[in-house]
Amino acid sequence: MKRHGVLMFAMLMLLALAASAQDLPLLTTDAPLGPRDILEIRVLEDPTLGGRVTVGDDGQIILNVVGRFVVAGLSGSQIEAKLKSHLETNFIPKATVSVVVEFASKPISVVGAVIHPGRFGATGSTTLIQAITQAGGLAAGHGRELYVLRTGRNGLSEQLAVDIEELMVRGNPDLNIPLAPNDLINVPLDTPIRIYLMGEVMRPGTVDFRRSQTPTLLQAIAAAGGPTDRASRKAIVRRIVQGKQETININYRDILKGKRKDLILQDNDTVFIDEALF
């Protein structure tokens, strides 16, 4: 038991460090309730005193034995304390109360490259993977990262980037973060990038990449079959930036030799490999 407790503490610390590193607050399940939120109330000593109830438009719930009870604006833990006091005053000597909240008034939204984008009720224990599962799972063509957006303590919108492969394939538990009401999960599409290659390459024409591949000059030349025997060392890259054409001259063989970094290409770049002058 002691070892289990230490492991749980370590995981919580990792989550806290990850959140602070992104300048994001750790999510709390103690958000205030509103109309249409659903409560699962359990009283250990007498199950008939609890039940599954919905918060009405007047901010009240109705329990079979207890009757009407005002909960709007209270958090789950505050409801537990208030209901415990009420039960011990009016019904039973001792009450152990637990409240699980499903936030219908502040749903989690999942948008982008998922099978069924939409809004879903959030419980106090909803995790990132559970939200993606509720949305039918990831759709084809998703990008490398997804983003969790929420309102921070300062009232400003903040976002946390999550590596999808680490989360869904490698199963990194530190990335399966708990979610809170009103969180938005955005799974961007991995948009295509088209590069045009001309001149002394084996297969002049277009080569297509995905944005997440971060295509480079050498990758594009390789995708076009490599340079011909007549190719010079020079590559000319032309691109349009804010309506103006830019030209980049680069010795791609210096990249091969490790003398300089490879050039990252952008959508609609044109690469021309000049012919060597003998």
Side-chain angles (χ1 to χ4, degrees), residues 39-272:
L39 305 181
E40 186 73 43
I41 299 173
R42 296 178 183 175
V43 181
L44 181 62
E45 290 77 10
D46 187 347
T48 65
L49 296 174
R52 184 176 175 84
V53 292
T54 301
V55 181
D57 291 336
D58 59 359
Q60 298 185 76
I61 59 173
I62 303 175
L63 289 168
N64 289 333
V65 178
V66 178
R68 292 185 177 274
F69 200 76
V70 178
V71 297
L74 301 178
S75 66
S77 60
Q78 288 173 330
I79 294 170
E80 287 177 349
K82 183 177 178 180
L83 187 56
K84 172 183 171 66
S85 175
H86 183 73
L87 291 175
E88 291 179 348
T89 301
N90 298 283
F91 293 93
I92 54 179
K94 177 176 173 57
T96 305
V97 181
S98 65
V99 175
V100 176
V101 182
E102 181 177 333
F103 290 96
S105 64
K106 305 178 185 69
I108 290 170
S109 299
V110 186
V111 299
V114 291
I115 303 298
H116 303 296
R119 294 155 66 100
F120 307 94
T123 67
S125 58
T126 300
T127 65
L128 181 54
I129 288 179
Q130 287 173 335
I132 294 171
T133 302
Q134 282 184 289
L138 298 172
H142 64 78
R144 182 176 294 174
E145 292 183 321
L146 61 80
Y147 302 92
V148 179
L149 294 90
R150 67 177 66 106
T151 301
R153 293 189 183 98
N154 56 7
L156 300 177
S157 179
E158 299 174 334
Q159 74 174 21
L160 171 66
V162 177
D163 186 293
I164 290 177
E165 185 170 347
E166 276 291 315
L167 173 69
M168 305 297 290
V169 179
R170 297 190 177 93
N172 186 340
D174 294 338
L175 299 183
N176 190 25
I177 60 174
L179 300 175
N182 284 338
D183 270 359
L184 170 68
I185 297 100
N186 180 24
V187 185
L189 284 167
D190 196 3
T191 54
I193 289 180
R194 173 158 289 185
I195 309 297
Y196 300 87
L197 284 104
M198 303 172 62
E200 296 301 322
V201 291
M202 299 300 294
R203 295 189 297 273
T206 61
V207 292
D208 294 323
F209 296 92
R210 288 286 178 181
R211 191 170 298 277
S212 64
Q213 293 176 282
T214 316
T216 66
L217 177 60
L218 289 187
Q219 288 173 337
I221 294 173
T228 68
D229 293 338
R230 299 185 301 274
S232 72
R233 299 169 178 265
K234 186 173 71 172
I236 302 170
V237 179
R238 296 190 177 96
R239 67 176 49 145
I240 303 299
V241 179
Q242 296 180 347
K244 296 181 180 180
Q245 179 174 284
E246 289 187 359
T247 300
I248 303 170
N249 295 298
I250 186 169
N251 186 331
Y252 66 88
R253 294 188 185 180
D254 282 347
I255 302 173
L256 286 169
K257 295 176 183 178
K259 292 182 178 180
R260 64 166 298 165
K261 291 183 178 179
D262 205 349
L263 176 67
I264 296 175
L265 299 178
Q266 300 177 10
D267 189 30
N268 289 324
D269 275 358
T270 298
V271 178
F272 179 77

